[in-house]
Amino acid sequence: MAEVFLVMLYEDLPLFCITVVFICFLVTSGLVLGCFGLVVPVILRNSEETESSTRVLKKRMRQVKNPFGLEITHPATASVTKGVTLTPDCLEDCILTCYWGCGVQKLHEALQKHVYCFRIKTPQALEDALYSEYLYRQQYFIKKNDKEEKYCQLPEDAQVVDFGPVPRSRYPLVALLTLADEEDREIYDIISMVAVIHIPDESYRLSCRLLYQYLLLAQGQYHDLKQLFMSANNTTPSPSDTPPGERSTDRSLLEKAGLAEDEPELHEETSKDCVVCQNGAVNWVLLPCRHTCLCDGCVKYFQQCPMCRQFVQESFPLCSKKEQDEDESTHILQDVPPGRVF
């Protein structure tokens, strides 16, 4: 029997060697890929290994309070000839200054001057940086927590019906919010906000919207506010409420102007629950796609966004564990009927 086995082993030696070498190759490849944090085939992974082997960088965040808020009221009725209605919402007394026909290049040069030359914390500072490169200016005083609508419109004698073809050299409207009191400028890190607003005209009928929002800091930096893509309960109209023809028109106009972004995938359900476990509260923002869709328990298992499959380079939480515990305790206290004692 032993002789027969040796004869068979001798005859099939090349095949046997190839098999041994192949198995060794698979095992070695799995170990190497695992050490470097790359994707390891499922057949070579430990069945108990569930967490992502590659750590996604946690972006260090610093919480600041933004005293400025600005919303476009009735955007469907806004136009260059009819004007636009803005609703500011500020935590302190502020000044709203609107610049019609502001030069694109001059505005971005002004933002750079905020970084390298002088701080733009008053309307006069921005006007000095713009070198009066705008067509018309309007200014309003905004009281603390006052949400009164402000109507902005070009005067009839300006005789402006459009701002030319795309690409344009002027923004239709730039709104500047600054703190009115000098003492408040010493308290807040954010000292002013610049909002670039598109307003439809005869040559460019893209619906009225905020194109950019820049927060200017007292330290000399400025940050571009970006929208987070989050499936959450809200009262604002969803994109599905907009007629398909209007959505496609707006999309094509945005692409033509170079302002279009990838549209986030829409969920059938609108909730603040994690899209993976459907149990934990959404708390993590994934970058660079900006999808806000994972809870504290699920974020450690993903190297790719579960919504768009883009690789996650960084992530940050919306609120800390301490803040979540405080919110939960607040909700518990609110739910307790009167007269109940813990």
Side-chain angles (χ1 to χ4, degrees):
M1 187 68 181
E3 295 177 354
V4 175
F5 175 74
L6 292 174
V7 171
M8 293 178 60
L9 181 63
Y10 177 77
E11 292 178 351
D12 299 331
L13 184 61
L15 182 60
F16 177 76
C17 293
I18 293 174
T19 304
V20 172
V21 171
F22 180 71
I23 294 175
C24 293
F25 172 76
L26 288 178
V27 174
T28 305
S29 300
L31 293 174
V32 172
L33 291 175
C35 291
F36 285 95
L38 303 177
V39 179
V40 183
V42 177
I43 193 173
L44 299 178
R45 282 192 294 190
N46 188 344
S47 59
E48 297 179 356
E49 181 184 355
T50 54
E51 292 190 18
S52 173
S53 57
T54 302
R55 289 188 176 183
V56 175
L57 295 177
K58 301 296 186 294
K59 196 174 185 66
R60 298 187 64 182
M61 306 297 292
R62 184 169 66 94
Q63 186 174 10
V64 295
K65 183 180 289 186
N66 180 17
F68 307 110
L70 188 65
E71 182 181 355
I72 302 174
T73 312
H74 314 301
T77 61
S79 68
V80 170
T81 54
K82 296 180 181 179
V84 62
T85 304
L86 303 177
T87 304
D89 183 11
C90 302
L91 300 179
E92 306 292 344
D93 293 344
C94 295
I95 297 174
L96 172 63
T97 310
C98 299
Y99 300 93
W100 288 89
C102 180
V104 174
Q105 183 176 353
K106 289 298 181 182
L107 177 63
H108 291 281
E109 289 178 357
L111 294 175
Q112 293 300 315
K113 289 179 181 178
H114 172 78
V115 178
Y116 298 107
C117 300
F118 53 85
R119 305 293 175 257
I120 298 178
K121 53 185 178 180
T122 62
Q124 186 60 48
L126 180 60
E127 291 167 21
D128 292 342
L130 291 174
Y131 295 105
S132 301
E133 190 70 24
Y134 55 87
L135 302 180
Y136 184 67
R137 190 193 76 155
Q138 292 175 288
Q139 195 169 79
Y140 306 91
F141 180 80
I142 311 298
K143 294 183 179 180
K144 178 180 179 180
N145 296 324
D146 184 11
K147 298 183 180 181
E148 181 182 356
E149 297 180 353
K150 303 298 180 183
Y151 183 68
C152 304
Q153 185 181 19
L154 278 166
E156 295 183 359
D157 57 3
Q159 297 181 350
V160 176
V161 294
D162 61 60
F163 290 95
V166 178
R168 291 177 162 177
S169 60
R170 294 180 182 270
Y171 287 125
L173 182 64
V174 172
L176 172 69
L177 277 169
T178 54
L179 294 166
D181 297 333
E182 184 68 32
E183 295 180 357
D184 293 333
R185 298 172 196 155
E186 303 297 328
I187 299 174
Y188 289 92
D189 290 327
I190 301 173
I191 56 175
S192 57
M193 184 182 78
V194 176
V196 179
I197 304 172
H198 170 75
I199 300 177
D201 54 34
E202 293 186 356
S203 63
Y204 194 45
R205 300 189 180 277
L206 178 70
S207 58
C208 182
R209 64 189 65 196
L210 284 167
L211 296 180
Y212 309 103
Q213 282 183 291
Y214 300 104
L215 297 179
L216 279 62
L217 275 63
Q219 295 81 10
Q221 303 93 6
Y222 71 91
H223 300 288
D224 183 8
L225 278 180
K226 296 290 187 180
Q227 180 183 7
L228 297 182
F229 301 138
M230 179 176 183
S231 178
N233 292 324
N234 56 68
T235 57
T236 57
S238 63
S240 59
D241 297 333
T242 308
E246 184 177 344
R247 289 205 308 269
S248 61
T249 302
D250 286 357
R251 181 71 181 174
S252 61
L253 289 173
L254 281 170
E255 291 175 350
K256 186 177 180 181
L259 300 173
E261 295 186 0
D262 295 334
E263 295 183 354
E265 297 178 9
L266 300 178
H267 268 267
E268 295 180 359
E269 298 181 0
T270 55
S271 66
K272 294 183 180 179
D273 294 334
C274 173
V275 298
V276 178
C277 66
Q278 297 293 315
N279 186 28
V282 167
N283 189 41
W284 283 87
V285 181
L286 309 180
L287 300 177
C289 66
R290 307 199 304 275
H291 278 119
T292 311
C293 56
L294 293 176
C295 65
D296 293 330
C298 294
V299 68
K300 57 186 176 182
Y301 297 109
F302 288 88
Q303 299 178 33
Q304 294 174 271
C305 174
M307 301 282 287
C308 63
R309 296 301 177 187
Q310 186 171 2
F311 280 96
V312 180
Q313 297 178 6
E314 291 180 310
S315 62
F316 67 89
L318 292 175
C319 58
S320 63
K321 183 66 175 176
K322 181 180 179 181
E323 292 173 334
Q324 287 182 346
D325 294 339
E326 291 177 353
D327 291 341
E328 290 178 1
S329 61
T330 303
H331 290 315
I332 292 174
L333 290 174
Q334 289 176 349
D335 294 338
V336 175
R340 292 289 298 275
V341 179
F342 284 100

